[in-house]
Amino acid sequence: VEATVNTIADSARTGKIVWRYRAGVFESSPLVVGKTLYVGSWDHKLHAVNIYTGKARWTFTADGEINSSPAFVNGKVYFGTDGGSVYALDARTGKPVAGFGVGGRVDLTAATGASRAYSWNGTPLVVRDVVVLGSSMADQDSAARMTGMPGDVHAFDVRTGELRWTFHVIPRAGE
């Protein structure tokens, strides 16, 4: 299956397609920052595309489908995968950010102590010095079962990827 992203740089004015970029099926909403469009796909790739030419600036291969829209902060792109990871990449080069987790990647299942694979598909929210990730819902209906993930919200250090805090949606004893 193939998907196409069309630029709106001139097509909004002329009604004509300026370029096409083919890169699998897109799972997330694209993000445009400056002259670059960032979008993730089912084939485990995050693409950075020049919005004027439609040419790839870089492509990064992750550990799973990129099912979260990317976030851009201070020259870095943060995104999540269905492989249970959050990544930090240098927005200019597409290289993993040294010091963020291991090789620019944090294993969310291990970091949060989840009882099963941490599956998350929201856009990361970067606030000051933390990356905030919403709850893990492996199936959209998992909250209706006693065995579903608890829905906790986690914040990771924006530089190191270390877990800084967890908000328990269902308070635990003493909270």
Side-chain angles (χ1 to χ4, degrees), residues 26-55:
F26 296 124
E27 174 87 351
S28 63
S29 298
L31 171 69
V32 176
V33 178
K35 300 175 184 176
T36 305
L37 176 139
Y38 301 94
V39 66
S41 59
W42 278 3
D43 63 356
H44 303 200
K45 293 180 175 26
L46 184 71
H47 305 270
V49 181
N50 181 302
I51 64 168
Y52 296 110
T53 66
K55 297 201 183 319

Side-chain angles (χ1 to χ4, degrees), residues 9-174:
D10 282 333
S11 63
R13 186 168 33 92
T14 65
K16 295 182 181 174
I17 295 172
V18 178
W19 54 259
R20 293 180 192 271
Y21 183 80
R22 298 181 190 279
V25 176
F26 296 124
E27 174 87 351
S28 63
S29 298
L31 171 69
V32 176
V33 178
K35 300 175 184 176
T36 305
L37 176 139
Y38 301 94
V39 66
S41 59
W42 278 3
D43 63 356
H44 303 200
K45 293 180 175 26
L46 184 71
H47 305 270
V49 181
N50 181 302
I51 64 168
Y52 296 110
T53 66
K55 297 201 183 319
R57 293 184 186 276
W58 53 259
T59 301
F60 176 82
T61 302
D63 69 345
E65 294 174 16
I66 298 173
N67 56 4
S68 85
S69 296
F72 179 95
V73 178
N74 296 328
K76 296 176 185 72
V77 177
Y78 296 89
F79 64 94
T81 71
D82 72 349
S85 300
V86 64
Y87 284 86
L89 303 180
D90 180 298
R92 214 174 19 83
T93 66
K95 302 289 183 207
V97 173
F100 185 83
V102 176
R105 172 186 169 267
V106 172
D107 177 338
L108 298 173
T109 304
T112 62
S115 58
R116 58 183 179 172
Y118 192 99
S119 179
W120 158 78
N121 62 4
T123 301
L125 174 64
V126 181
V127 181
R128 295 188 183 137
D129 61 348
V130 293
V131 180
V132 181
L133 307 181
S135 61
S136 172
M137 297 294 199
D139 345 325
Q140 293 303 316
D141 298 324
S142 66
R145 293 177 294 166
M146 289 285 290
T147 59
M149 295 290 276
D152 297 336
V153 177
H154 305 283
F156 297 85
D157 187 283
V158 76
R159 291 170 295 283
T160 66
E162 291 180 31
L163 181 64
R164 293 269 296 272
W165 54 259
T166 298
F167 173 76
H168 299 119
V169 177
I170 300 170
R172 296 183 179 173

